Every structure is written in structure tokens, then in C-alpha cells.
Amino acid sequence: QVQLVESGGGLVQFGGSLRLSCAASGSSFRINAMGWYRQTPGKQRELVASILGDASTNYADSVKGRFTVSRDNALNTVYLEMNSLKPEDTAVYSCYADSDWPRTNRYWGQGTQVTVSS
């Protein structure tokens, strides 16, 4: 079993920055892809950013140039650096980790609230 623990959410002003972290822990496992989704009430969950084991990344168009996803494979941790935040970035951000050993599964963090005030 793998547990994901997130940190770093909070309240920030328009144009500000936040850094989210998500650390995976548990018994023996191997993580391939990691990333972040966000969701606001009444809207579909949106994939914000993802990063594979080879460090290739993918971003939603709405965050390109403002958000940066990175990972520390030794720590099994994924980060989301968010800059130039806008009120429309307000959401609950959840990290995920896809394991491919000893079994294929997607694990989720508990979610962290990010609120951007105008």
C-alpha cells in the first residue's frame, strides 16, 4: 500500500506563488507517473500537470508558463510550483502516483485547498 501526503496549500493573493508537495510512502513499490489534478465545485476535475519517470512533463493549457511540476525520485515526492496565481486557480489540488510494481494502481493524496484572492 502506498500513502500520499500533500502539503503547501493555502491562501495567496492574485499574482502570488505557492509550492505544493506530495510525498509517497509505504512498503516496497515503484512509482512511474506522478502529477496533480484540481477540482472546484460544479466543474469537472482537471489534470493540471504530470511528470513521468523520465522527467517528461505535461501541462494543462491554462497553467502553461506559470506552473512547474518536478519530482525527486529518491524521495518519491512530486512538487508543483505555482506562480502568477489567478483567482481561477482556486481549487482543491490532489496529487496522484501511478505504481507499476508490485502492482499497477493509482494512489491519491488527500487534497489541499488553494485559494487565490483578487
Side-chain angles (χ1 to χ4, degrees):
Q1 188 70 11
V2 177
Q3 296 82 39
L4 300 182
V5 177
E6 302 176 26
S7 61
L11 174 65
V12 65
Q13 290 188 331
F14 175 85
S17 299
L18 280 176
R19 188 192 196 207
L20 306 182
S21 301
C22 173
S25 63
S27 55
S28 297
F29 60 91
R30 183 173 63 207
I31 297 295
N32 184 8
M34 303 184 80
W36 297 87
Y37 278 83
R38 68 185 180 186
Q39 188 163 25
T40 55
K43 293 183 68 174
Q44 191 171 4
R45 186 173 60 183
E46 175 186 29
L47 176 61
V48 177
S50 61
I51 182 167
L52 300 183
D54 62 3
S56 60
T57 58
N58 184 54
Y59 295 93
D61 288 342
S62 58
V63 307
K64 283 180 181 177
R66 300 187 298 122
F67 291 10
T68 302
V69 62
S70 61
R71 64 191 286 175
D72 185 326
N73 290 328
L75 298 178
N76 286 311
T77 299
V78 62
Y79 306 95
L80 186 67
E81 186 76 33
M82 302 184 294
N83 298 313
S84 302
L85 283 162
K86 307 174 182 179
E88 51 263 44
D89 294 318
T90 296
V92 174
Y93 286 71
S94 299
C95 66
Y96 72 90
D98 291 337
S99 69
D100 58 8
W101 183 88
R103 66 190 186 104
T104 301
N105 196 35
R106 170 165 287 187
Y107 299 93
W108 291 94
Q110 77 276 17
T112 186
Q113 178 70 45
V114 171
T115 302
V116 184
S117 63
S118 57

